[in-house]
Amino acid sequence: MKITLKDGSVREYAEAKSVYDVALDISEGLARAACCGKVNGEVVDLRTVLDKDCELAICTAGEPEGLRTIRHTASHVLAEAVKNIYPDAKLTIGPSIDTGFYYDFDHAPFSREELDAIEAEMKKIIKRGEKLERFTLSREEAVRFMEEKGEPYKVELIKDLPEDAVISFYSQGEFVDLCAGPHLMSTKGIKAFKLTSSSAAYWRGDSNRAVLQRIYGTAFNKKEELQEYLDYLATVKDRDHNKLGREMELFTTVDVIGQGLPLLLPKGTKMIMKLQRWIEDLEDKEWGYVRTKTPLMAKSDLYKISGHWDHYKDGMFVLGDEEKDREVMALRPMTCPFQYYCYKNTQHSYRDLPIRYGETSTLFRNEDSGEMHGLTRVRQFTISEGHLIVRPDQMAEEFKGCLALAKYCLDTLGVGDDVTYRLSKWDPENKEKYIGDEETWEFTQGSIRRVLTELEIPFYEAEGEAAFYGPKVDIQAKNVYGKEDTMITIQWDALIAEQFDMYYIDENGDKKRPYIIHRTSIGCYERTLAWLIEKYEGKFPTWLCPEQVRILPISDKFADYAEEIRKELARNDIDVTVDGRSEKIGFKIREARLKKIPYMLVVGQQEVDERKVSVRSRFEGNEGTQELSAFIDMICKEIRTKEIRRELPEDEKKK
């Protein structure tokens, strides 16, 4: 048997060897550092037996696969620790993730003090250095084994495995868990770990199933790496929009109003208004959209035609009782069926198409309470929604146009390099979730794939993420914690026109079905605001700031000149305030900087005498005395062009 190693060297063995045995044969140091292996590119456990020619890479903590193995083993240690302290807790799943690991338990919520106790128990387990041993059982034996241990979730997982699945377990001392691996050889391989938080989670992500308690943790090979990550987390918390947005008085939430129903305060409202006005003018004046305004609710009849009643009813707020009321209503979770009837109001020729409908739409979705978070996951939100009614021969070019508009918006906001593109496809194993046949789905998915390839946009594909009526491009971004959210969607729909009897008259006088593009240009305004808060840490580009200039008179006797300046700035559509408090000028400047205001205009006797302003900025510090007209020209250009002005490091700013 020939084993080709990562460096190209070949080792020959007369008998079968485990991956660990090969590592030990190379060197004892490598065997001690080994976490898992890769055989012909596939990640395997160190215990995996090699019995034929193959390519082998030994993975240590320095490789992503090795670090994931450490974290996976840490999740098993976490599970053992919880069972030691809380024997009645029921085990579910515990994978490694990009930032560490987690394990879900059927148990009461865990406090920080309880997490600390679990962490201490984990350290005892690691110190004992229990060996991890792998073994397999038949399906019947595995079910009986977990039933005897009183682990119903594990029993369910076993029963749902494919018929030909190898059902494997790992033991560490007396603790045993169902797992496919890979794992370290011993718990002593976990050098540095920390339990970071806990939260609620649904069993198998289904809101109709049990509410579990998820404990998150992270693990590294070195204590220094762990500390660096924990320091990073502390910084991240200060950038969390849910914290920073409240501190900046952009939004708040109130228990008696409800979860997922944030109140946008005046400053946050001002920012949303700027975004909305920009998008509406951009779409209508430059991209050929026509605007609609449609109801916030409709009879259930509408959603039955569209298919939302069958495929999305659980996510809707239904008003009335179907059994008692003759007219059941629902708050709209989307605008598309309303805009279809705007189209159907008039008969259209092939020459009329494409028609691009845009609407600033307030929508309602009955999100699960455990999913609510700040402005990113809410029950009422506003979206830059649009639907393009097009001929099939226009579809690809119009789809490209939607992608170009989205990219322009992202680049203007300064986040174009922070996103990834996902082709969200149907799940052919669950066809009941969708309308249409396989041929249509393969055609539409292939069409999007060709568009993305032609535009040279890097993308990845994900099964089961499509809308029930068509595939889509989801533009994804991560928040400060690394969780991915969908910011913008562009959907290819070749099916819904049939259900609404939408048509156009072609050049031969025949009725033809149009295609529809469902799209957003900037996505959900609330979620976008959350994204921008975290991206800029509250230091927004000047055009977006709710307060762009603050005038700071040195004393009361310069109040009249300050007011004169304020009026002139306001006449130029600049958001400006005057800080007329009887405070020292140094205090006023420091407070304006803490409020992250782009520009401060200091006015005193010299400025009054010369009819000028002394400019201090967030970007460069003291920018000197200027003519007011010159300052207005400069800031108006910055606002008009939506420039993202670079901020110098503190030690480079002019004092």
Side-chain angles (χ1 to χ4, degrees):
M1 174 179 67
K2 294 182 179 180
I3 306 295
T4 304
L5 301 177
K6 189 163 53 175
D7 63 0
S9 63
V10 177
R11 293 200 172 231
E12 295 190 32
Y13 300 98
E15 69 285 334
K17 292 276 188 181
S18 71
V19 174
Y20 180 79
D21 289 337
V22 175
L24 188 61
D25 186 47
I26 296 170
S27 77
E28 290 187 6
L30 179 60
R32 284 194 300 270
C35 299
C36 63
K38 285 176 74 174
V39 176
N40 297 329
E42 182 182 350
V43 178
V44 299
D45 194 274
L46 291 171
R47 301 156 190 81
T48 300
V49 174
L50 310 176
D51 56 7
K52 57 185 176 183
D53 295 355
C54 64
E55 294 181 355
L56 172 65
I58 308 295
C59 300
T60 66
E63 283 99 8
E65 297 86 355
L67 186 56
R68 280 197 291 271
T69 303
I70 291 173
R71 291 170 169 176
H72 193 184
T73 303
S75 78
H76 276 227
V77 174
L78 166 59
E80 180 180 357
V82 169
K83 289 294 284 187
N84 288 350
I85 300 173
Y86 308 102
D88 293 335
K90 303 301 180 188
L91 303 175
T92 63
I93 58 171
S96 64
I97 55 178
D98 288 345
T99 56
F101 60 91
Y102 71 79
Y103 209 109
D104 288 347
F105 303 93
D106 191 343
H107 188 266
F110 296 98
S111 66
R112 182 65 247 183
E113 291 74 18
E114 288 172 314
L115 293 185
D116 291 341
I118 295 167
E119 199 173 281
E121 181 66 17
M122 290 176 68
K123 289 178 180 177
K124 293 178 185 177
I125 296 168
I126 292 169
K127 189 175 181 180
R128 288 200 299 266
E130 300 281 8
K131 288 186 178 180
L132 281 92
E133 306 283 355
R134 182 180 183 273
F135 64 93
T136 61
L137 294 175
S138 68
R139 183 179 300 272
E140 294 75 16
E141 290 173 324
V143 167
R144 186 165 58 252
F145 182 68
M146 280 301 174
E147 284 177 339
E148 290 172 354
K149 285 186 169 291
E151 298 291 357
Y153 297 97
K154 298 293 184 181
V155 171
E156 181 180 328
L157 290 171
I158 294 167
K159 289 181 176 179
D160 287 349
L161 289 172
E163 287 297 323
D164 59 349
V166 175
I167 303 174
S168 60
F169 296 80
Y170 282 82
S171 65
Q172 52 201 50
E174 295 183 0
F175 177 77
V176 180
D177 202 355
L178 171 73
C179 188
H183 280 289
L184 301 176
M185 300 299 287
S186 163
T187 59
K188 271 196 172 176
I190 303 168
K191 306 295 185 184
F193 78 96
K194 180 72 178 175
L195 299 184
T196 53
S197 63
S198 65
S199 66
Y202 293 111
W203 172 231
R204 297 187 133 177
D206 186 343
S207 60
N208 297 313
R209 306 293 299 274
V211 178
L212 307 172
Q213 299 304 316
R214 176 172 295 177
I215 297 178
Y216 285 100
T218 192
F220 290 87
N221 191 46
K222 297 178 181 178
K223 291 181 180 179
E224 295 81 6
E225 295 171 342
L226 173 62
Q227 189 57 52
E228 184 179 335
Y229 177 73
L230 295 177
D231 291 342
Y232 163 75
L233 279 186
T235 304
V236 157
K237 287 178 182 177
D238 289 334
R239 291 173 51 205
D240 184 344
H241 85 276
N242 210 14
K243 176 179 182 288
L244 188 53
R246 294 170 195 270
E247 291 173 352
M248 296 183 69
E249 298 181 355
L250 300 178
F251 75 95
T252 189
T253 52
V254 181
D255 287 344
V256 296
I257 293 175
Q259 276 189 303
L261 299 170
L263 299 174
L264 286 168
L265 301 173
K267 292 178 182 178
T269 301
K270 173 80 76 170
M271 293 184 69
I272 294 288
M273 287 171 58
K274 291 184 179 191
L275 288 169
Q276 288 182 5
R277 289 169 179 169
W278 168 51
I279 291 298
E280 289 176 358
D281 284 347
L282 180 67
E283 290 179 346
D284 299 356
K285 296 177 181 178
E286 298 184 35
W287 289 82
Y289 283 74
V290 291
R291 205 139 292 275
T292 63
K293 186 172 176 60
T294 56
L296 300 181
M297 66 179 76
K299 293 161 59 176
S300 59
D301 305 47
L302 179 70
Y303 305 115
K304 289 174 182 176
I305 296 171
S306 68
H308 288 96
W309 202 253
D310 292 332
H311 295 273
Y312 199 77
K313 183 181 175 184
D314 289 344
M316 297 166 66
F317 288 101
V318 177
L319 311 176
D321 188 323
E322 289 184 85
E323 296 182 3
K324 297 178 182 178
D325 301 333
R326 285 176 294 178
E327 189 170 84
V328 175
M329 311 286 286
L331 297 176
R332 65 180 184 185
M334 73 299 295
T335 309
C336 38
F338 297 86
Q339 290 191 329
Y340 300 157
Y341 281 98
C342 293
Y343 175 83
K344 283 169 62 70
N345 185 61
T346 306
Q347 181 169 286
H348 297 281
S349 154
Y350 70 97
R351 294 189 183 92
D352 299 329
L353 303 186
I355 295 175
R356 307 179 187 97
Y357 292 113
E359 182 164 338
T360 302
S361 306
T362 298
L363 305 178
F364 306 85
R365 295 187 182 172
N366 193 8
E367 300 279 6
D368 298 320
S369 59
E371 297 293 318
M372 301 296 110
H373 179 68
L375 297 177
T376 58
R377 186 73 67 175
V378 291
R379 286 174 169 158
Q380 176 183 311
F381 56 94
T382 303
I383 192 169
S384 59
E385 196 161 20
H387 296 88
L388 288 73
I389 317 300
V390 306
R391 302 192 310 264
D393 64 287
Q394 298 170 322
M395 189 66 168
E397 285 306 308
E398 287 297 316
F399 204 88
K400 290 177 183 177
C402 292
L403 284 164
L405 174 56
K407 187 177 187 308
Y408 173 80
C409 293
L410 293 171
D411 288 343
T412 302
L413 291 173
V415 294
D417 294 332
D418 301 338
V419 300
T420 55
Y421 291 77
R422 181 179 77 189
L423 169 51
S424 297
K425 306 186 296 184
W426 78 325
D427 179 1
E429 300 300 318
N430 292 285
K431 295 180 181 179
E432 70 281 355
K433 291 170 55 179
Y434 310 92
I435 61 174
D437 56 34
E438 184 170 351
E439 183 180 358
T440 301
W441 279 91
E442 291 303 321
F443 167 73
T444 53
Q445 290 172 175
S447 298
I448 294 178
R449 192 180 291 113
R450 280 192 297 276
V451 165
L452 291 170
T453 302
E454 286 175 17
L455 294 176
E456 299 182 344
I457 295 175
F459 67 97
Y460 65 99
E461 302 188 13
E463 273 192 3
E465 296 293 337
F468 68 85
Y469 48 80
K472 55 182 177 168
V473 172
D474 286 322
I475 302 178
Q476 307 287 106
K478 291 182 178 180
N479 66 16
V480 291
Y481 297 104
K483 181 182 180 298
E484 196 170 69
D485 286 309
T486 299
M487 307 308 298
I488 294 173
T489 62
I490 304 169
Q491 303 172 0
W492 186 302
D493 179 0
L495 297 166
I496 288 288
E498 178 77 28
Q499 295 184 219
F500 280 87
D501 191 28
M502 297 168 66
Y503 64 88
Y504 64 91
I505 304 300
D506 72 3
E507 57 269 35
N508 299 316
D510 297 325
K511 289 183 177 181
K512 297 291 184 181
R513 298 292 182 205
Y515 282 179
I516 301 168
I517 300 175
H518 309 240
R519 48 101 274 173
T520 59
S521 49
I522 198 177
C524 166
Y525 286 102
E526 290 84 355
R527 184 174 288 181
T528 298
L529 178 56
W531 189 15
L532 295 174
I533 292 170
E534 295 184 351
K535 165 73 176 181
Y536 291 106
E537 300 180 52
K539 297 179 181 180
F540 306 109
T542 300
W543 74 275
L544 262 180
C545 287
E547 184 180 358
Q548 295 163 332
V549 178
R550 182 175 290 186
I551 303 169
L552 310 176
I554 290 176
S555 68
D556 291 347
K557 66 180 182 179
F558 307 113
D560 289 344
Y561 185 52
E563 179 60 18
E564 182 184 331
I565 295 170
R566 187 199 67 78
K567 288 180 179 178
E568 186 62 25
L569 293 175
R571 276 193 288 271
N572 284 275
D573 294 324
I574 298 165
D575 290 312
V576 56
T577 62
V578 175
D579 185 347
R581 295 174 299 166
S582 299
E583 299 283 356
K584 291 182 178 180
I585 192 64
F587 176 86
K588 290 181 180 181
I589 291 172
R590 284 193 299 274
E591 188 166 272
R593 290 180 63 191
L594 287 172
K595 295 291 185 182
K596 310 179 195 304
I597 296 166
Y599 293 97
M600 296 160 269
L601 301 183
V602 179
V603 293
Q605 191 61 56
Q606 180 182 343
E607 286 75 24
V608 170
D609 293 343
E610 297 178 359
R611 308 299 292 173
K612 293 183 178 181
V613 291
S614 181
V615 181
R616 297 187 68 89
S617 78
R618 196 182 69 205
F619 313 103
E620 295 185 11
N622 186 356
E623 297 196 19
T625 303
Q626 300 178 17
E627 297 283 350
L628 179 60
S629 59
F631 173 75
I632 290 174
D633 288 344
M634 181 275 296
I635 191 174
C636 284
K637 180 183 178 183
E638 184 180 336
I639 292 169
R640 184 178 65 255
T641 61
K642 298 178 175 56
E643 178 186 352
I644 301 175
R645 193 174 174 190
R646 177 176 171 266
E647 184 172 337
L648 295 176
E650 284 300 320
D651 59 355
E652 295 182 25
K653 290 182 180 178
K654 301 170 187 174
K655 304 302 180 185

